[in-house]
Amino acid sequence: MHRAWIQVPAVILVSAIAVMWLNSFEPFPVVRLPLPANLSAIERVTVLSAEAIAEHALIRGGESIVAHQDSLVTGTLDGRLVGFDAETLSIKWSVQCPLITSGTPCRILGLRSVGDSIYGVDQHGRLFRFRDKTFEWLLHEEMPELKELDAPGFFNDLVVVEDVVYLTDSFSDKTKAGVHAALQKFWRFDATGRIFAYNLTSRKLSIFADKLYLPNGIELAYDNKSLLVSECSRFRIVRIDLATQNLTIFTTSTLGAVDNIRRSSDGGYWFGVSKSRLSRSGMVDLLSYYSTARYILTQKLFMPLLFLHERLFGSGPVFYKTDQHGNITRAYVDPDRLTGTVALSQICEVGGYIFVGTPFAEKVFRFKYDNGL
């Protein structure tokens, strides 16, 4: 027994030295992440207390929430669109997403309301229009044009500008679509993400931008001439000009891995964070320097260890608001994870309430909002 206590630390030490030696060759890119946003410098920070959490209303839902006509609509993890009342939270209707020929179940992510229609995407690279309680598939994996154009791997969000739908494709590896693959790309700082443009008139799909770091959220900027895109794994927001496709940095450092972006009622932006980053002590910062260790730990065999580490030691959920220029004006943090989740996704501000979606649990939270909780 005494010998075993000596052997185990010795094996760990030798393994660590071997990984650091391999890392000196830098077979994989070393990523220099920006400094985390300074939470203490933000003027108004609300820590979600047990009382605030106890008062929140909860319905079954998913990642995105959108105001549509006289209802709020969310997409569930099992492929349903659900319309509910913002005040009473009573369910008004529920429609199941139809299966494609391949039979892969639909998992609805981003949603947008335009006129009498809802446009939405699911994680398998599909785009739909929902009108008069009926789904219409605009893009799916059985279409020849997608097979010819290196079909999308993981649609996450969308925004409609005039007659064009811009869609974030988090990574281009269509053979590994799914949440696990997205997380693997996040930890590896993979730069195969793209923005697709789908013309509703011509029904043509094209690549608008590429070589992005896990692009998730997307929103039309207030200048109406550019798109804001969250590069999830680089903890930053980029601006892409609609006319020239030129990319510039909008926000150099966020409060974490921003999932979705939505406009706020006072001329700013809401950001939901799927992995908060409030210091440089997290695993993602450590692995950004040790590229070989990063590659080894992100193999499928070891990914559960990263998940376990995040659940045990990761920062709690965060969502926040900025002004038009990206300066953080309000932050809401849940350090004790009273919300019961480690990740938040999209913020929808309606009628004095904040509705918050979650990417990994069927929950939609509602908080009373009057420039604060």
Side-chain angles (χ1 to χ4, degrees):
M1 179 65 70
H2 179 70
R3 182 177 298 176
W5 280 106
I6 297 175
Q7 289 175 342
V8 171
V11 169
I12 294 174
L13 178 61
V14 170
S15 300
I17 292 173
V19 167
M20 293 179 69
W21 177 75
L22 287 171
N23 193 77
S24 64
F25 296 101
E26 294 190 3
F28 311 104
V30 174
V31 178
R32 306 301 182 190
L33 293 173
L35 290 171
N38 187 357
L39 191 66
S40 62
I42 300 170
E43 184 176 349
R44 301 185 70 183
V45 177
T46 298
V47 177
L48 299 178
S49 64
E51 291 77 19
I53 298 300
E55 292 170 359
H56 82 266
L58 174 67
I59 69 164
R60 294 178 64 82
E63 178 164 326
S64 293
I65 312 102
V66 63
H68 180 68
Q69 297 175 344
D70 61 347
S71 302
L72 287 182
V73 180
T74 186
T76 65
L77 298 183
D78 61 357
R80 288 177 296 115
L81 279 182
V82 177
F84 63 96
D85 186 272
E87 282 288 343
T88 66
L89 298 179
S90 58
I91 304 298
K92 294 183 174 182
W93 50 266
S94 176
V95 180
Q96 181 68 46
C97 177
L99 291 178
I100 308 297
T101 306
S102 64
T104 306
C106 179
R107 181 180 180 231
I108 298 172
L109 298 179
L111 294 172
R112 292 285 183 170
S113 175
V114 180
D116 63 351
S117 301
I118 293 175
Y119 293 88
V121 294
D122 90 327
Q123 72 175 37
H124 302 290
R126 304 165 181 159
L127 168 67
F128 65 81
R129 176 164 51 200
F130 182 79
R131 183 166 51 189
D132 298 328
K133 303 297 187 296
T134 303
F135 281 90
E136 175 192 2
W137 289 108
L138 302 177
L139 294 171
H140 62 76
E141 63 270 29
E142 301 296 331
M143 292 181 171
E145 56 265 37
L146 263 70
K147 296 178 181 179
E148 296 171 1
L149 191 65
D150 189 15
F154 190 95
F155 277 161
N156 188 83
D157 198 15
L158 73 164
V159 65
V160 183
V161 182
E162 297 178 350
D163 63 343
V164 178
V165 183
Y166 295 93
L167 312 111
T168 58
D169 181 30
S170 296
F171 52 90
S172 60
D173 187 354
K174 58 181 177 293
T175 64
K176 296 182 178 180
V179 174
H180 176 272
L183 292 172
Q184 186 180 61
K185 298 291 184 180
F186 169 82
W187 286 97
R188 291 185 180 180
F189 305 105
D190 182 87
T192 61
R194 300 172 292 182
I195 307 295
F196 279 89
Y198 178 77
N199 191 295
L200 292 169
T201 302
S202 66
R203 299 292 182 106
K204 297 295 184 180
L205 182 72
S206 60
I207 296 176
F208 174 74
D210 60 5
K211 297 180 181 178
L212 298 170
Y213 289 86
L214 204 70
N216 271 9
I218 187 169
E219 179 62 284
L220 180 66
Y222 280 101
D223 62 7
N224 293 321
K225 298 178 181 178
S226 58
L227 301 174
L228 299 184
V229 178
S230 63
E231 284 194 304
C232 196
S233 60
R234 293 302 298 267
F235 303 105
R236 68 186 184 187
I237 310 297
V238 297
R239 183 196 295 270
I240 305 177
D241 188 277
L242 284 169
T244 65
Q245 287 84 56
N246 287 339
L247 185 148
T248 56
I249 304 299
F250 177 72
T251 301
T252 57
S253 183
T254 62
L255 289 178
V258 170
D259 199 341
N260 288 353
I261 310 169
R262 292 296 183 267
R263 292 185 179 188
S264 64
S265 62
D266 59 356
Y269 302 99
W270 284 108
F271 298 87
V273 175
S274 60
K275 179 192 173 354
S276 58
R277 179 176 178 254
L278 306 180
S279 70
R280 296 200 69 140
S281 60
M283 182 67 74
V284 67
D285 281 277
L286 178 63
L287 292 183
S288 70
Y289 290 94
Y290 297 102
S291 58
T292 301
R294 182 174 75 236
Y295 186 83
I296 293 172
L297 289 174
T298 51
Q299 297 296 325
K300 193 170 184 178
L301 177 64
F302 299 107
M303 283 294 285
L305 295 177
L306 291 178
F307 297 157
L308 179 62
H309 178 273
E310 288 303 303
R311 288 189 175 276
L312 294 177
F313 306 108
S315 302
V318 173
F319 63 95
Y320 67 97
K321 185 172 68 171
T322 71
D323 59 20
Q324 286 191 32
H325 308 291
N327 302 307
I328 301 175
T329 57
R330 284 303 310 264
Y332 302 83
V333 298
D334 178 19
D336 299 320
R337 299 183 184 177
L338 299 172
T339 48
T341 181
V342 297
L344 301 176
S345 177
Q346 187 206 299
I347 314 303
C348 181
E349 184 185 341
V350 176
Y353 291 107
I354 298 174
F355 291 84
V356 185
T358 59
F360 303 127
E362 284 202 344
K363 295 179 179 180
V364 171
F365 297 99
R366 184 183 75 175
F367 300 100
K368 190 68 178 176
Y369 178 69
D370 52 0
N371 267 338
L373 292 177

